[in-house]
Amino acid sequence: MDRRTFLASSSAASALVLLGLPGRALAQAAPAAAANPGDAALNGLLDRMFAGFMENAPEFATALGLDSGPRAALKSRLSDYSPAAQARQLGIFRGYQRELQGMNRTALSERSRLHYDTVSYMVGSNVSALADFPYGANGFGFSPYVISQQDGAYQNVPDFLDQQHRVTNAADADAYLARLEAFGTALDQNSEKQRQDAARGVFAPNFTLETTLTQLRALRNVPAAQTILVSSITRKARERNLSADYATRAERLVTERVFPALDRQIALVEQLRGRATDRAGVWGLPDGADYYAAAVRNATTTTMTPQEVHDLGLAQVAEISARIGQLLDAQGMTGGDVGARLTALNRDPAQLYPNTDEGRAQLLADLNRQIREIDPLLPRAFATQIRAQIQVVRVPEFIQDGAPNGYYNPAPLDGSRPALYYINLKDTHDWPRYGLPSLTYHEAMPGHHLQISLSLESRDTPMLLRLSPFGAYTEGWALYAETLADELGVYQNNPLGRVGMLQSLLFRAVRLVVDTGIHYRRWTRSQATDYMVRTTGFPVPRTQREIDRYCVAPGQACSYKVGHTVWTRLRAEAERMLGSRFDLRGFHSILLKGALPLTILEQEVNAWVASQRT
C-alpha cells in the first residue's frame, strides 16, 4: 500500500478523538449510538484508544484532515521516535488488553462482537510484538531496523511535510515551522534508538545502509534553501499570500537544527555500515528465528509457518507460470521458459516509456486515464460508491532509491486533498506498458483506494476500526481487485494486459518464496534477486529495490499472496454454496466493515453466506 503501508507506519498510533473531527467529517464519522451498556462501554474504549493513538502520532491526524479545532495543537507536533516511546506503547496496550478482558463479550450485540474480536486481535498482536522483541519498531508491522533505506524520520518527515501538511493561514505555516524544528529532535531520537539496538547487534545489512547513506546525503548535501523542507513552506506561504518571511525562518531552522542532526545520523550510519555484513535475513539477529515466525504471523494474520508460506509460494509460482506460458504462446511468443519470454517482452521498445521528464509525464497521464476508464464499470461489482478522489504522483526523488515501487496514502476525511497513489519513476524502463494497468487496479480502483475509502466513509464502524492495520486483508484485497478488473472486461482487447495481470500475481507468489528464502532458509541477497528476475522477468534494478525492501521488512511481502489466496477461496466457496443466489455486490459489501484479520474475515463471510441461504 504505502511506504511500509500507510496504516502500519503509525504503529505508534492510529487515530484520534471524535471531538476533534471538523464539521462534516464529524457527522460522517460517528456511528450509531450503542443500544446496550456493553456496546456503549466498548465504543467508549475504542474512542479513547482512537484519541490516545492520535496523541502519539500527530502526523496521522494531519493525514486524515483531523488536526483542527480541539486538536489543532497536533498540527505543530511530530511523533516521538525515542527509545522510551516503545516502552510507553507497551504499557498503553497492556492497559487496553486488561480493559477488553474485563468486558463480557456475550453481552455485546452481533456488530459489537465483531468490533471486540477485531480490536482484541489488534491489541494482542501489539502486546506480543512490543513485549517479545525490544529492538526495532514492531507492533502493527515488524521493522527490525529503525533506520534503513525505507525506515526512519529522515524518510517519513520531509515527504509528509511537503505532501500532507496543509497551509491555509499563518497558524498553519507557524505549525509547519514548529514541526520543522521538531524534525531535528526526531532525527536525534531515531539515532539514539538505533544506537541502543546496535548495542544488541541489530542494524541493517551493509547494502541497505549504503542506500540509506545515499538518501541521507541527498537531503543534507544541498543548500538549506533548496531542500524540500524549505521550498515546500516557501511555495505554500506564497500561494496563500502570507506576509511573514517563512522561507528565511525555515532556512535558519534547517541550518541550525536539521542539518546538525542529519550530520550526526550520517556519522552513525557510516559507523554501522563499517560494521555491517551482507547477511540479508533476520535469522542472525537475537531470537531471529522467533522474530521472523512472529513477523509472518503478524503480516498474514494466520497461523502459517515460514515453511508453509514457502511451500505455498512454490506451488503458486508453478501454476501461474503455466497460465502465463499459455497466453504468451497464443501471442506467438514461444520458445524458452516463461521468465525469459517476459524478460524479452519487458525490453521491447514498444513497451517502454522514454526515460525522460516527458516520458514520465506520459506515464502518469496514462495511469490517470486508466483510473477514469474503469470507474464506469465499478457499479457492476459494488453497491456503494466512494466520494474520495485520487491522484497519481511520483515518489519524491530524494527517497526513490530506497522507496517501494508503488504505494498508496488515503485521502483525508475532510476532502481537502485527494488520495495519493505513488509510483517510483527512477527509471521508466522498470514499468513496461503492459504491466501498468494491473498496478493501477491494485493501488487505485478497485483496489486500495476503493477498499480503504469505503471503510473510511462507513457510518457503521468505529473510526479506530476503519483504520485497522491488517495488511493481509488490504493487500490481499488489492491483489484480488486486479483479477476483478479482468472480470469487468478491462483486458477484453488487451491480451498483453492480461499477461501483465498474471505477471503481477506471479510476482506476489515469488515474494512468498524469496521472503521466506531470505529470512528462513538463509538465502543471500543475490540468490533472492536472481530467483525473482529469472522467474518474473522484471528488470534487475526494480527487482533489487524489492529484494532490499524485503530484507528490512521481514514478513510484510507475504501478506499479499496469502491474503489473495484467502479472498479468492472465500469467494469461490460462497459461490459454490449459494449457486444462483450468490450476489457479487452483496459479497463485496463486507468491505464496509473495515479491514479484518483473515481468520475473522472468514467467519464474517461464512455468516453472510448463511444469511443468504435462509
Side-chain angles (χ1 to χ4, degrees):
M1 184 164 60
D2 95 333
R3 194 157 69 247
R4 175 78 65 215
T5 76
F6 176 72
L7 302 172
S9 72
S10 53
S11 60
S14 245
L16 88 354
V17 66
L18 295 180
L19 292 177
L21 295 173
R24 184 169 67 89
L26 174 59
Q28 294 169 356
N36 66 56
D39 287 7
L42 177 62
N43 288 344
L45 173 59
L46 296 182
D47 289 350
R48 283 188 287 110
M49 290 177 67
F50 194 38
F53 290 169
M54 187 57 62
E55 288 293 325
N56 289 321
E59 299 93 331
F60 207 68
T62 297
L64 291 174
L66 303 175
D67 56 357
S68 61
R71 296 284 160 180
L74 294 175
K75 197 161 193 173
S76 299
R77 292 172 43 205
L78 295 176
S79 295
D80 186 346
Y81 286 79
S82 71
Q86 184 166 322
R88 286 197 302 271
Q89 284 300 304
L90 177 57
I92 289 169
F93 276 105
R94 279 177 167 158
Y96 294 147
Q97 190 173 53
R98 286 192 295 270
E99 286 196 61
L100 287 164
Q101 291 170 347
M103 292 182 179
N104 182 3
R105 182 185 180 279
T106 60
L108 301 175
S109 66
E110 180 179 350
R111 185 176 68 182
S112 289
R113 284 196 295 272
L114 171 63
H115 299 162
Y116 178 93
D117 292 344
T118 303
V119 77
S120 294
Y121 191 103
M122 181 193 305
V123 168
S125 295
N126 274 273
V127 168
S128 296
L130 291 166
D132 293 346
F133 305 104
Y135 55 82
N138 309 308
F140 294 132
F142 274 53
S143 298
Y145 315 115
V146 296
I147 298 176
S148 73
Q149 84 280 14
Q150 64 173 37
D151 295 284
Y154 88 94
Q155 269 269 341
N156 302 330
V157 175
D159 184 37
F160 162 77
L161 287 174
D162 180 50
Q163 291 285 349
Q164 300 192 49
H165 184 108
R166 288 173 291 133
V167 172
T168 59
N169 52 42
D172 293 343
D174 290 339
Y176 183 104
L177 294 181
R179 276 178 159 163
L180 188 54
E181 184 171 13
F183 182 32
T185 300
L187 287 166
D188 283 336
Q189 290 173 334
N190 215 190
S191 295
E192 179 57 26
K193 178 65 167 72
Q194 181 60 81
R195 285 191 191 91
Q196 288 191 8
D197 287 354
R200 299 184 174 99
V202 179
F203 44 92
N206 55 17
F207 50 88
T208 65
L209 289 177
E210 188 64 44
T211 305
T212 304
L213 282 170
T214 298
Q215 296 182 154
L216 281 165
R217 289 166 179 158
L219 184 60
R220 172 62 179 89
N221 292 345
V222 294
Q226 296 177 22
T227 63
I228 190 174
L229 299 164
V230 177
S231 63
S232 180
I233 185 60
T234 303
R235 182 189 74 251
K236 292 173 181 178
R238 183 176 62 247
E239 290 171 350
R240 292 294 178 174
N241 297 314
L242 299 178
S243 58
D245 192 357
Y246 287 101
T248 300
R249 294 160 66 188
E251 185 176 354
R252 184 170 61 251
L253 286 170
V254 169
T255 300
E256 297 177 358
R257 296 296 303 273
V258 175
F259 276 177
L262 279 171
D263 289 339
R264 290 188 287 271
Q265 190 159 107
I266 288 169
L268 170 64
V269 174
E270 286 176 336
Q271 177 191 30
L272 295 177
R273 183 194 55 179
R275 297 169 53 191
T277 69
D278 61 359
R279 187 192 67 228
V282 297
W283 50 266
L285 300 183
D287 300 316
D290 291 340
Y291 185 93
Y292 184 59
V296 169
R297 291 193 300 271
N298 181 283
T300 65
T301 60
T302 70
T303 59
M304 293 183 72
T305 65
Q307 185 63 55
E308 289 170 334
V309 172
H310 192 79
D311 292 343
L312 175 66
L314 290 173
Q316 294 207 358
V317 164
E319 186 267 330
I320 298 167
S321 295
R323 293 171 62 190
I324 293 174
Q326 293 172 355
L327 287 178
L328 292 175
D329 288 345
Q331 295 301 307
M333 299 180 64
T334 59
D337 61 31
V338 166
R341 284 183 279 171
L342 288 173
T343 298
L345 183 59
N346 290 343
R347 294 172 179 169
D348 182 350
Q351 293 293 331
L352 302 178
Y353 290 87
N355 202 26
T356 62
D357 289 343
E358 293 76 13
R360 292 180 177 88
Q362 183 59 56
L363 190 154
L364 291 171
D366 286 349
L367 295 179
N368 282 303
R369 174 182 52 78
Q370 290 160 7
I371 294 172
R372 290 193 302 271
E373 288 176 350
I374 198 171
D375 275 351
L377 306 178
L378 297 177
R380 289 161 45 188
F382 301 94
T384 305
Q385 305 305 306
I386 61 173
R387 294 183 296 272
Q389 301 299 305
I390 186 168
Q391 177 183 351
V392 187
V393 296
R394 181 180 180 179
V395 169
E397 290 184 63
F398 78 93
I399 62 169
Q400 66 185 5
D401 287 346
N405 288 315
Y407 52 92
Y408 169 84
N409 278 354
L413 291 173
D414 63 4
S416 57
R417 67 159 174 81
L420 300 175
Y421 156 19
Y422 287 85
I423 184 167
N424 195 325
L425 296 183
K426 177 179 172 65
D427 186 345
T428 60
H429 292 181
D430 287 345
W431 300 108
R433 296 174 188 269
Y434 76 98
L436 277 173
S438 196
L439 179 69
T440 294
Y441 306 138
H442 181 106
E443 300 290 350
M445 306 285 271
H448 285 316
H449 182 53
L450 178 64
Q451 177 259 310
I452 291 172
S453 296
L454 281 173
S455 178
L456 284 173
E457 295 172 10
S458 169
R459 292 290 306 276
D460 295 327
T461 302
M463 181 60 71
L464 174 66
L465 298 182
R466 300 185 207 179
L467 304 167
S468 300
F470 298 117
Y473 178 106
T474 56
E475 298 297 355
W477 168 267
L479 199 52
Y480 164 82
E482 296 181 35
T483 57
L484 178 63
D486 187 23
E487 290 183 57
L488 295 175
V490 297
Y491 299 123
Q492 193 168 18
N493 299 310
N494 183 11
L496 285 182
R498 186 171 284 114
V499 171
M501 177 197 72
L502 289 175
Q503 186 186 39
S504 176
L505 295 181
L506 176 63
F507 170 46
R508 274 37 178 251
V510 166
R511 278 178 164 178
L512 301 181
V513 179
V514 297
D515 196 270
T516 52
I518 291 167
H519 297 292
Y520 172 65
R521 300 178 70 87
R522 304 191 178 191
W523 285 11
T524 65
R525 180 196 193 203
S526 60
Q527 274 181 282
T529 303
D530 291 346
Y531 176 82
M532 181 171 276
V533 170
R534 185 172 67 251
T535 308
T536 65
F538 283 147
V540 172
R542 173 181 174 183
T543 302
Q544 194 67 82
R545 283 197 301 273
E546 286 289 333
I547 294 300
D548 290 356
R549 167 187 169 189
Y550 311 152
C551 292
V552 302
Q556 192 272 339
C558 300
S559 61
Y560 299 74
K561 201 62 178 72
V562 170
H564 174 258
T565 300
V566 171
W567 271 108
T568 53
R569 174 177 61 79
L570 292 176
R571 175 175 163 182
E573 290 174 353
E575 289 178 318
R576 177 178 56 80
M577 297 177 70
L578 293 177
S580 62
R581 286 181 289 179
F582 177 80
D583 173 44
L584 184 60
R585 295 182 0 144
F587 175 75
H588 289 156
S589 67
I590 197 168
L591 294 178
L592 298 173
K593 297 185 178 185
L596 306 169
L598 293 182
T599 50
I600 296 177
L601 171 64
E602 183 162 6
Q603 295 171 12
E604 290 299 303
V605 171
N606 290 340
W608 176 78
V609 170
S611 72
Q612 302 302 300
R613 300 176 76 180
T614 58

